[in-house]
Amino acid sequence: MTVQPDEVVVTVTVNGETVRHLVDPRTTAADFLRDGLELTGTHLGCEHGVCGACTVLLDGRSVRSCILYAPQLDGCEVTTVEGLSPVPGELHPIQEAFRECHGLQCGFCTPGFLLTVHEFLSETKGADEDEIREAISGNLCRCTGYQGIVAAVQRADETWQR
Amino acid sequence: MAAVTGTSVRPTAPPGLIGTRVNRVEDARLLAGRGRYVADVTLPRIKHAAFVRAWPSHARILSIDTTRARTLPGVVAALTAADLPPATLVDGNWIPGLAKTPQPVLARDKVRFVGEAVAIVVATSRYVAEDAAELVEVDYEQLPAVDHAGRRPSGHVPILDELPDDLIYDRGESFGNPDLMFRDAPHVFVKDLALARSMAAPLECRGTVASYDPAAGSLDVWCSTQSPHLLRRRLSAASGVAEHRVRVMMHDVGGGFGQKIAAHPEELAIALASCALGIPVKWIEDRRENLMAAPHARGQRVHLKLATDDDGRFLALRARIVGDAGAYSFNAASALIEPYITARVMTGVYRIDHYGYHVAAGLTNKSPVAPYRGVGFIAAQTARELLIDEAARSLGIDRFELRRRNMIRPDDFPYRSCTGLVFDSGSYLEALTTVERMSAYDDFRCEQEQARASGRFIGLGISPYVEPTGWGTEAMNQIGWHSFPSNDSARVSMDISGKVTISIGTPSQGQGIETTLAQISAEVLGIPLDDVVVSFTDSSSAPTSLAGTRASRAAVVSGGAVGLASQDLRERILKVAGALMETDASILTVADGVITDPSEDAASMTVAEVVQKAFQLTEIRSAEPEPNFTATRFYDPGATYGNACVGAVVEVDPQTGGVRVLRIVGAEDCGTVINQVVVEGQFIGGMAQGLGGALLERLAYDENGEILTTTFMDYLLPTSTEVPHFEVEHLESPSPYTWRGIKGVGESGTIGAPAAIAAAIADALAHTGSTVDRLPMLPEDVRAMVEQGEDRG
Ligand code: FES
Ligand code: FES
C-alpha cells in the first residue's frame, strides 16, 4: 500500500475483524465506518456530538463516532451495531427486547441506543427506571417518547445472561 | 412494570389479526443495523453535493463567482441558478384569496432567508464539496429584514415585489351570529397566545440521490420523503423528464413528522444537477442545514374571545390569527397550513353555535413554514383550553364541570359543528371522565393545597380534543381545505406460492405501516401474517398516492384500500376454490391459509394449491376467465374524527422558572384499533413531541433575521429525563364512515399535550394572577409570570 503524503494508515479491529485502511486524516470515525468499511448501521443525526445516533463501542466504552477522527481508532477495537449479535439473522437479547417492547419506530436512533444500553447493562444489574432514564439521556429519539426504550432496557436486564 | 397501562374499554373486533398486539415486522432489519436510509445509497460514479447558502436574511444578489471553487482539486462542478433550467415550486392550494409565491430551487436575483440555497458544489467527497462551497463568492446588497408577520422595518422593501405589504392572505368568515351574541353576553373572556417557531426535526435529516441516465432519458431518485408520487410530479415538471421515466425510491425513512411531505427545493436542484452533469449526485443534509433551511412550523399569534352566560355556557367564540409564513408560502400546503387550520378547528369538542374568525398570513425573512405533526391544531387547542380554564376560574366553576357542560354529547352524533365539520362518532365525555379518574383529580386538589403550604407549586392541566383524521375528500370539503387529492389505491397480489405482496404509495417513516397493513390483508384473506409483505419502495410500481404519508391518514386511507383489495382477492380465490371443490364458493371459509368446505366433512385445500391449480388448469377459466390474483382498489373515505383527552401534572420552581412534568395521562380513541402496539407508540411519541413544543423547542431569530438556533445545543429536543412515564387508556368508537371503522392517530398526542402542560403551569401559578401567553414556556417565561405576580401582589 503506497501512502500518499496526506493519508495515514489506520489498523483497527471492527466487530472482531482486523482491517488496515488508508484514510484522509480528517475523515471522521463515523464516515470511516460507514463509507470506508460500509458498515452503514452507524447513523448520523447531528454530527456535533449531541444526538448519540453515531454511538459505537471503542475498547468497550461508548463513544460518539461523529466527533472522533478515523486515525484515533488506530490500534483499537470497535463494536458497531452490526457486531452486536455474533450470529447473522439472530438478535442479541438487547435487540430482542427492543422488538418486544416497541423500543423503536423509524429505527434511525436505534443503533446508538443499542450500544449505549449494551455498555450500561454490561456494568449494571437491576437498575430502576430513573437510573435507566439517566443512562440513556445522552441519546435522542424523536419517535418513541422513550417509554418503549425504557421498557426494553428493563426487559433486557432480565433476559440477557451476562 | 408494563410499558403501558392499557385496556380496551370497548372491544369491538372479533378475534383476528385486526386488533391484535403484534410485534412489528420491520423491526428485525432496523435492529440489526440493516435499515437502508438514503445516506446508505451509493451508485457507480456517484459524486457528492454541498449547497452554498445565503448568510443575509434579505438581500439582492449582485454577482456570484464560482471560479475559485471550480479549481479546487476534486471539484466536478459549481452550479448556480444560471447554469440550470429555471424551476420553481408553488403550493397546490386553491383557497380563494391566497397569493402565490413561486420559490426558485436556487435563488436567482434575491435571497429571502438565511440558509436559502444559492449554488451547488459537486465533488468527489462531501468534504471537498464543503471546502469548495466556502470558496464561492457571492456579492450581496443587503435589505432590511421583515422579522415579524405584518411588521414593516424602516426602509422596508417587500419580500416579493408583487406583495407590497408582504401579506399573502387576509380574510375571515362568520358562522351563526357572533356579533349579536357578544353584544348581549353577560361574560366575555379574552386570551392572547403566541406560538414560537419550532420544527419537526426528524433524527434523519433530509437527503436525496439523483441519477439521470442521458442514454435512457430516465431519472432515478432515492429520497427521504413522505410523498414519493408528489415528488415524482415535481421532479418531472422541473427536469422535463416525462413522469413515467422518473422513479422515486426509498427504503427506510428516519422520521418525517410532516417535514418530508413537500418537494424540497434542494431535492429538485440535486436532480437538475444530475441531469446537467449526467452522473449520480448525492446530497445528505447536515443538522445545521436542517435547523436553518428545512421548513419550520408553528409561528402564530392567536387572539381569542369567549362569550358565556352566568352558568358558563359557551355562547360565542371569536378568533384573530396571524401566521408567520416565512419567506415563501411553501409548496407542501401553503403558508395557511398553520393559521387557517387553527381557525377552522377552533371550536373543538364543544357546542358553540356562533363563531367568527379572521386569518392573516404574512411573509417574513425566515425559513418557510410547512406542516409539522399537529399543524394548526396545537395553536387552537392551547389557546382555547387556556381560555376555558381562565373562564372557569373567573366564574368559580370547576374546570372539568365547565367543559362537561359545554361538550358535545354521545347522543349528538353525527354532530355538525357551526363551521360544518360533521363529527361521526367519539367518546368526548368519556375521555374527559377517564382522565379525571386517571389523574385522581380530587386527591390532586388536596395535594396541591398541601404542596403550596410548603412552598411547592404543582398544577394540573386538561386537554380534550377532536381531530380530523384520514382527510378524504369529504373531510377536506368540511374543513374548507383544498390542497391535495387525499385518496389512495392499493394493489394486493398473490404469487403462485400463495404469498402476498401489497404495493402502496404511502411509505413508512416509523409508523409501523408494514405491520398494520399486513395485519389487515392477512385477516381478510385468512392467511398467516408472515405470508404478507408490504412494499412502498418505488413510485413506478406503487399505485399513485399523491398525498403520501401525512395527516393521520395512512391507516384510514391506505388501510381501507388494502382491505377492499384484499376482499376482492379473497372472493376470486374462493370462486376458483369453489370450482375446484365443486361446491358453492359462498359457503367456503378460509383460515390460516386453508380453505374449508364445512358441508363436506371438512374437505379442504390450501390457498397456495388453489392458486397453483388456477395457473395450470384451463378448465378453471369457465369459473374465472382471468385467474390472475392481483386486485387494486381505490379508496376515498368519508370524513372521520378521532378524539382524546390528555392530562398533565407539573411542578414549577418559582426561583429558576424550571418546569418538571410529573405525570402525563391520556385517554385516546382512534376507532377500530389495528395494532395496539403501534397506536400506543404513536400516541406516546406524539405526546413527547408535544412536551418539547410546550417546554423546550424554540427556533430563535434576531431582529436582522439571523437564526440563532443551529445546533441541538440551542434547539433542545426532549430527552429521556424530561419526559415522564405516560399512562394511557384506550377507548374505541369505530367510525361509521370508514372501512372497518378505522380512524387515524398519528398526530393525536402532539395536539393534546402542549395545552395540558401549559394549563398545568397556569394552574400551578394561578395564585400569582399571571397567565400563560406563549409556547414554549422556557424558564425565563415562567420567571416572568412569577415576577408579574410579585409586582401585582
Ligand atoms: S451524530 Fe454523533 S452525536 Fe449526533
Ligand atoms: S425511533 Fe425514530 S428517532 Fe428513535
Side-chain angles (χ1 to χ4, degrees), chain A residues 104-110 140-144, chain B residues 203:
Chain A
L104 68 156
Q105 289 183 21
C106 78
F108 201 76
C109 69
T110 311
L140 294 175
C141 174
R142 192 55 159 164
C143 299
T144 62
Chain B
L203 208 58

Side-chain angles (χ1 to χ4, degrees), chain B residues 10 313 348-352 400-416 423-433 643 733:
Chain B
R10 269 179 260 153
R313 293 211 197 281
V349 287
Y350 305 103
R351 296 161 151 181
I352 297 174
F400 280 95
E401 172 55 23
L402 182 60
R403 286 178 169 83
R404 220 170 257 132
R405 269 182 212 176
N406 288 285
M407 224 174 232
I408 296 160
R409 315 200 143 263
D411 49 11
D412 290 339
F413 292 116
Y415 176 88
R416 193 186 161 83
F423 298 144
D424 51 330
S425 61
S427 51
Y428 307 167
L429 277 169
E430 202 177 339
L432 183 73
T433 306
N643 72 276
S733 312

Side-chain angles (χ1 to χ4, degrees), chain A residues 115-126:
Chain A
L115 291 153
T116 299
V117 170
H118 190 282
E119 179 188 43
F120 175 64
L121 290 182
S122 301
E123 298 168 348
T124 326
K125 271 194 180 160

Side-chain angles (χ1 to χ4, degrees), chain B residues 93 95 98 168-169 329 333-341 359 361 481:
Chain B
N93 213 325
I95 289 177
L98 173 63
I168 55 162
Y169 187 83
S329 181
S334 91
L336 286 188
I337 185 77
E338 281 281 350
Y340 188 82
I341 299 290
V359 168
W481 182 253

Side-chain angles (χ1 to χ4, degrees), chain B residues 114-115 288 291-293 296 367 699-702 704-710:
Chain B
V114 172
R288 181 165 170 273
L291 286 165
M292 74 162 118
H296 292 173
S367 188
L699 288 160
Y701 282 85
D702 70 11
N704 299 317
E706 176 82 41
I707 184 160
L708 306 173
T709 40
T710 55

Side-chain angles (χ1 to χ4, degrees), chain B residues 468-487:
Chain B
T469 73
W471 290 75
T473 304
E474 205 180 306
M476 299 236 263
N477 288 339
Q478 289 178 8
I479 297 157
W481 182 253
H482 306 286
S483 77
F484 57 92
S486 177
N487 51 67

